Amino acid sequence: MKPAPLLVLCALGPEVWALRGGDWRGAAGGPPVVVRTGVGRRRASLAVRRLLTAAPGGYGAVVVAGFGAAVAPGITPGDVIVADGVRDAEGNHFAVDSGPELTRALTVRGITAHTGVHHTADHVVRGLERRALHLQGALAVDMEAAAVLAALRELRPALPAAVLRVVVDTPERELLRPGTLPAGVRAWRTLRATVPALVDWHRRDDRPDRGRPSPATLNHPTPSTLPQEAS
């Protein structure tokens, strides 16, 4: 049976632009379906539910990708943080099994990548709130991934999934400081450069249970975090 294409979900137009222009040659299932969901959990949830309902079985895997913020020190703008788990402000946790393999695929391509937990927040997180999230185990924050994984759990629990964020700002270099514009350009170029690694990951991922998000509940709820929305 012919493999199905990747469904790639982004919040922002510049993220879509970066990913559509990447080198998708050799992608399993042909060119990906790259969709802008809009910012935030509600929009992301509506978008992915609409897509999965309209084309049941139409996608080989789902990738949530774009720009984001690091909450851990020592991470540089332009680095990639790949999720091995995503949590939300309500304390729900989704394991993402694709994290280590996708990180390896990026590293082989010369991209600096880290693996860790992403926190999906409803607002931009700064200062001490970032530190609190890091102390609770997060490496990055976004505003959409948990909603996408929750929809997958409900509608397509066996569909492989991956989540990656290219870092625009860090605890040492927060959003809207003078260095943000150059950091944004660097992140845009890095996001485009992740495409061959996504192709490699999806091409190898021919088992229906790989990369599946697994729901669980954390022992304690966590405060909300910053979005991923620096372009």
Side-chain angles (χ1 to χ4, degrees):
M1 184 172 64
K2 182 179 178 181
L6 271 176
L7 173 61
V8 182
L9 302 173
C10 308
L12 302 172
E15 298 166 340
V16 171
W17 180 27
L19 288 162
R20 281 184 178 160
D23 183 2
W24 291 99
R25 288 176 297 178
V33 178
V34 184
V35 176
R36 178 184 176 182
T37 66
V39 174
R41 289 196 289 176
R42 185 184 67 83
R43 290 175 176 172
S45 179
L46 289 173
V48 70
R49 289 172 186 277
R50 173 178 54 82
L51 290 160
L52 293 178
T53 301
Y59 307 107
V62 174
V63 174
V64 182
F67 308 134
V71 298
I75 295 175
T76 302
D79 288 2
V80 177
I81 302 178
V82 180
D84 60 5
V86 175
R87 69 190 188 199
D88 61 24
E90 291 72 44
N92 300 305
H93 179 81
F94 304 86
V96 185
D97 297 338
S98 60
E101 184 175 347
L102 181 54
T103 299
R104 284 193 295 271
L106 289 162
T107 302
V108 165
R109 296 278 181 173
I111 296 172
T112 301
H114 313 265
T115 310
V117 172
H118 292 209
H119 182 91
T120 296
D122 294 323
H123 64 280
V124 174
V125 173
R126 304 185 190 280
L128 292 177
E129 193 172 3
R130 289 194 188 201
R131 177 172 172 77
L133 289 170
H134 176 50
L135 291 174
Q136 293 160 7
L139 288 189
V141 291
D142 67 44
M143 293 185 72
E144 296 81 31
V148 171
L149 296 181
L152 290 180
R153 178 185 66 186
E154 179 182 336
L155 299 175
R156 294 288 308 280
L159 194 64
V163 178
L164 70 84
R165 300 298 188 183
V166 181
V167 174
V168 175
D169 67 321
T170 69
E172 299 88 354
R173 301 178 181 88
E174 288 202 345
L175 197 65
L176 303 181
R177 289 190 174 180
T180 299
L181 181 57
V185 172
R186 187 182 311 121
W188 188 90
R189 290 173 175 163
T190 300
L191 184 59
R192 177 164 287 189
T194 66
V195 167
L198 290 171
V199 171
D200 292 344
W201 167 73
H202 181 39
R203 194 164 47 209
R204 289 195 300 267
D205 188 8
D206 55 1
R207 298 199 302 272
D209 60 338
R210 265 176 104 183
R212 181 178 63 187
S214 305
T217 302
L218 293 177
N219 292 329
H220 52 276
T222 57
S224 316
T225 326
L226 147 69
Q228 145 123 347
E229 105 166 34
S231 62

